[in-house]
Amino acid sequence: MRAAAESPSKAIVSGEHFVVHGAWALAAAIDRKVRVEVSDSDRLTIASDRVRSRDSARLRPLETVVRAMAREYSFSPNVSVSVRSDVRPGTGLGSSASCLVALAAALSALHSLGLGKAELVRLSMEGEREVHGRPSGIDPAVCAYGGVILFRQGRAPTRVAVPGSRSLLLAYSGKQRRTRDLVERVSRFREGNPRLFESLGRSVSEVSRASAGMVSSNDLQGLGRLMNLNQAVLSAVGASDRALDAVAGLLLELGAYGAKLTGAGGGGCVLAVAPEGKEKSIISDLGGRGIESFLTTIPVGGVRSWLA
Ligand code: PMV
């Protein structure tokens, strides 16, 4: 028997880092996909087109999810897992969450478990904890549900309607980094500045909720302004760096309404919203300066699986 699943990846629009400490955050699925195939086998094997065999330790979180599901649903952990990914790891686009959610969905299809999105998120978190240390759960949630979600730890995500533009612009700042290191850095800032961090967290929660309203009223200019505010706050708590600040600044100069780091920061990607129709010229201007970028839409459905 063979099954497959495909999950979108994601961009955080507002509230990264603060969401780890209880704030509201807003995230969008993006149409860079991870596809996982599983089939019965005589032993557990895992291969990924993004991970060289000498780095196979990076695949351990997948093994954790296979073994956790095998224990919980009483099936054999002897499966062959194969991963194909459009998502560059370490760039803030949720490659690990997307992969783990797709894996849980593929195993659910293989064993006809009929698991819902909330269950897939819960199971993928077994692996996410190994990748990140203390993940908030926003990444697997948006990969599983798709679209745009308003998220707070411990609550079911709220879907946000997207009636207008579904275009997001993403630019690479040129450096890969580990989410775990950045989460620790921001947590140290919080320990040293508890009152400041708490008050910033309350503001970020408001910014996330207001941003959700702007997405549903298609107010891209308003959303852009809030993204710029978010970038300033993320920079203040140590999540940005010179390259990210420079790419975000350049995007504004080129006409974007707003630009901010997305995900853990310290490298990785900048997310921007731009006037409709202007995105292509911004991408070509960035390319002329050696900065790789792309336009993505927001897929609605989230992870999907099938018997192959
Ligand atoms: O860079 P990523 O895709 O790992 O994004 C992580 C987002 C954080 O808020 C920094 C951590 C989390 O688990 O919420």
Side-chain angles (χ1 to χ4, degrees):
M1 287 272 274
R2 178 180 291 274
E6 195 172 69
S7 168
S9 49
K10 61 89 212 184
I12 297 183
V13 180
S14 169
E16 49 273 269
H17 287 291
F18 292 93
V19 67
V20 174
H21 306 282
W24 285 96
L26 186 70
I30 62 169
D31 65 7
R32 294 275 153 132
K33 303 260 166 51
V34 177
R35 184 187 166 118
V36 174
E37 278 189 19
V38 291
S39 55
D40 293 319
S41 176
D42 54 1
R43 65 200 173 95
L44 173 56
T45 60
I46 303 174
S48 164
D49 63 348
R50 290 273 173 184
V51 178
R52 286 172 297 206
S53 50
R54 67 181 158 89
D55 295 331
S56 62
R58 283 180 42 208
L59 297 172
R60 232 170 264 148
L62 281 83
E63 182 176 337
T64 299
V65 170
V66 172
R67 293 198 186 281
M69 287 183 71
R71 259 195 316 276
E72 187 168 337
Y73 298 102
S74 308
F75 60 76
S76 164
N78 291 338
V79 282
S80 155
V81 178
S82 141
V83 180
R84 267 197 291 130
S85 172
D86 302 337
V87 193
R88 213 179 282 176
T91 56
L93 301 183
S95 64
S96 65
S98 176
C99 177
L100 294 167
V101 165
L103 172 62
L107 288 171
S108 170
L110 187 69
H111 295 285
S112 308
L113 303 176
L115 300 178
K117 309 257 178 185
E119 288 298 286
L120 299 178
V121 171
R122 178 179 65 78
L123 293 161
S124 65
M125 285 291 278
E126 301 275 340
E128 273 286 273
R129 272 188 278 276
E130 267 175 49
V131 182
H132 280 195
R134 51 181 305 187
S136 65
I138 190 171
D139 288 11
V142 70
C143 293
Y145 288 86
V148 175
I149 61 164
L150 194 56
F151 178 93
R152 189 177 186 182
Q153 260 190 82
R155 299 198 186 196
T158 308
R159 277 187 189 282
V160 176
V162 190
S165 163
R166 289 186 162 267
S167 291
L168 296 172
L169 213 158
L170 284 151
Y172 291 106
S173 78
K175 203 167 70 183
Q176 284 173 287
R177 80 296 173 273
R178 292 201 322 159
T179 297
R180 181 188 285 269
D181 299 340
L182 270 300
V183 169
E184 281 167 12
R185 187 193 295 174
V186 173
S187 297
R188 279 197 300 279
F189 178 92
R190 174 175 178 252
E191 275 156 33
N193 307 274
R195 289 175 57 178
L196 174 58
F197 195 90
E198 204 203 312
S199 107
L200 289 173
R202 276 197 302 273
S203 305
V204 166
S205 275
E206 283 313 312
V207 167
S208 299
R209 279 195 284 246
S211 301
M214 283 162 185
V215 168
S216 40
S217 61
N218 196 27
D219 178 359
L220 290 186
Q221 246 169 307
L223 178 64
R225 279 196 294 271
L226 293 183
M227 286 168 66
N228 295 336
L229 175 59
N230 233 301
Q231 171 64 13
V233 173
L234 285 163
S235 188
V237 300
S240 196
D241 67 5
R242 281 215 195 127
L244 284 164
D245 288 340
V247 174
L250 184 55
L251 276 154
L252 297 182
E253 263 171 50
L254 295 174
Y257 289 136
K260 62 176 276 289
L261 70 85
T262 186
C269 280
V270 172
L271 170 71
V273 286
E276 271 173 78
K278 198 164 169 68
E279 298 101 333
K280 294 224 166 83
S281 76
I282 294 181
I283 287 174
S284 107
D285 279 344
L286 289 174
R289 295 163 202 240
I291 298 168
E292 203 185 322
S293 62
F294 64 95
L295 198 60
T296 171
T297 56
I298 303 173
V300 243
V303 68
R304 59 186 193 93
S305 61
W306 60 92
L307 277 172

